[in-house]
Amino acid sequence: MTQPRSRLRPAVSQGMACAALVTAAGLLAASPASSVTRDGTGTAPTAAQALAAPDIPLANVKAHLTQLQSIATANGGNRAHGRTGYKASVDYVRAKLDAAGFTTTLQQFTSSGSTGYNLVADWPGGDPNQVLMTGAHLDSVSAGPGIDDNGSGSAAVLETALAVSRAQFQPAKHLRFAWWGAEELGMVGSRNYVNSLSAADRAKISGYINLDMVGSPNPGYFVYDDDPAIEKAFKDWYAGLGIPTEPETEGDGRSDHASFKNAGIPVGGLFTGAERTKSAAQAAKWGGTSGQAFDRCYHSSCDTTANIDDTALDRNSDALAYAVWTLAATAPPSGDSYENTTDVAVPDNGAAVTSAVTVSGRNGNAPSALRVGVDIKHTWRGDLVVDLLAPDGTAYRLKNSSGSDSADNVIATYTVDASSEPANGTWRLRVQDVAAQDTGYIDSWKLTF
Ligand code: TRP
Ligand code: ZN
Ligand code: CA
């Protein structure tokens, strides 16, 4: 140090305040009664209707099933992984999405010696750090055409994606749709996809919705009881129709949502039942036949277009559209601040100290322009090295020390590209005084998302 020292400041006070959420705007909770339209599809949406989820035309969903059936029939009776009927199914879905303005990607993988494909379709726009994904497996077993399992989910997801295009829906979140290969071999395609993502890209997926078997001929109405927000969207929609649902607990490891759940991504979905038997109580509330499987043709050659309950397929398609519209409409608003006002003494020419701020309840990653408001009282600010530490410990340098910076205090707002960091967790401000004589304390600091 070459500059003269002066204005030494003695003891610092130690406040008691904790990290606090200063502002938080809640999600807009759309009520299903007022925001679900079930009145046909022929007219252009008005401004108000543009915000409401569309009615998904059952006829369109069934037309996709007819095409998938034809593809199976023309390819040896199935659409299984490694068979020509699978790739033909991918080509069919992809052409529809390309024509509707999606950016489609084919991801290849190898399983059991055959090439498999995942089809991923991104809808341009929305916050790239807040991705809402919806998916269905497109492969059948080799025993049959796989129209309920899982033409039904594939067609419902496809038609929902096409409805996004028709409405030119521009939600706050980014929308991504996917059709998985080789689910029937053990969720191979979806696992490949999730594993192919960087940790940063995985963290950007704020939720994954899975549809696997949503038109079972003796249907049950099961909603995955996993992520509460996704589950609520589906339950709200069914409540609006006055139809009771049951939590789907059986399927945790039985479809592609498992690949996402295993990576810590919030999941949800719909299911109308497979080989299990409908109980008398279930038949009483849902209709259908008790003592009979939800899908007697599960994994069989008779899983054809005749193996579909239209009402269940229609409801679940509409429920999916409602969930996508509702969950994607709002991203956690920017402008929320999280602050710690507890004073922390910074020892003179000593060890680094930290002050913590805990962020919770946000989806996805921090913004590329995360603002870090710093209020450090000090008698010679050049002594101080200041870093922001992300929850995983990654350090972002805010300020270096300087032998010539003799001013008081560090009162500044820094902007950090934190877009590779999950927002939630404990962030720290780290301050070290690296030169003798002048001292100070962290008065307060805050993160603004
Ligand atoms: N493809 C799944 C399977 O064969 C279908 C399935 C059965 C399922 N039970 C489920 C999907 C429960 C979701 C939840 O296992
Ligand atoms: Zn399936
Ligand atoms: Ca000092």
Side-chain angles (χ1 to χ4, degrees), residues 137 149 183-184 210 212-213 224 248 250-252 254-255 257 270-271 274-275 298-299:
H137 74 86
D149 185 13
E183 186 273 350
E184 299 291 4
N210 194 62
D212 185 359
M213 305 181 74
Y224 297 8
E248 163 52 42
E250 167 207 356
D252 275 1
R254 282 193 66 173
S255 191
H257 55 290
L270 296 171
F271 180 53
E275 77 282 14
Y298 173 64
H299 285 185

Side-chain angles (χ1 to χ4, degrees), residues 208-292:
Y208 172 73
I209 299 172
N210 194 62
L211 266 69
D212 185 359
M213 305 181 74
V214 293
S216 303
N218 185 29
Y221 292 93
F222 298 100
V223 176
Y224 297 8
D225 67 339
D226 226 298
D227 175 66
I230 300 173
E231 183 182 16
K232 180 179 188 307
F234 286 129
K235 287 169 87 171
D236 282 354
W237 191 86
Y238 271 105
L241 280 193
I243 295 168
T245 61
E246 287 186 14
E248 163 52 42
T249 51
E250 167 207 356
D252 275 1
R254 282 193 66 173
S255 191
D256 297 296
H257 55 290
S259 302
F260 289 81
K261 189 177 160 79
N262 290 341
I265 295 166
V267 302
L270 296 171
F271 180 53
T272 51
E275 77 282 14
R276 287 194 181 177
T277 301
K278 185 179 274 189
S279 70
Q282 289 170 330
K285 64 184 174 186
W286 291 329
T289 310
S290 69
Q292 201 176 86

Side-chain angles (χ1 to χ4, degrees), residues 327-340:
L327 294 168
T330 51
S334 57
D336 287 359
S337 291
Y338 303 79
E339 184 169 31
N340 189 338

Side-chain angles (χ1 to χ4, degrees), residues 333-368:
S334 57
D336 287 359
S337 291
Y338 303 79
E339 184 169 31
N340 189 338
T341 58
T342 303
D343 293 358
V344 177
V346 180
D348 186 25
N349 197 18
V353 296
T354 63
S355 172
V357 151
T358 297
V359 176
S360 64
R362 304 190 73 83
N363 283 322
N365 280 13
S368 55

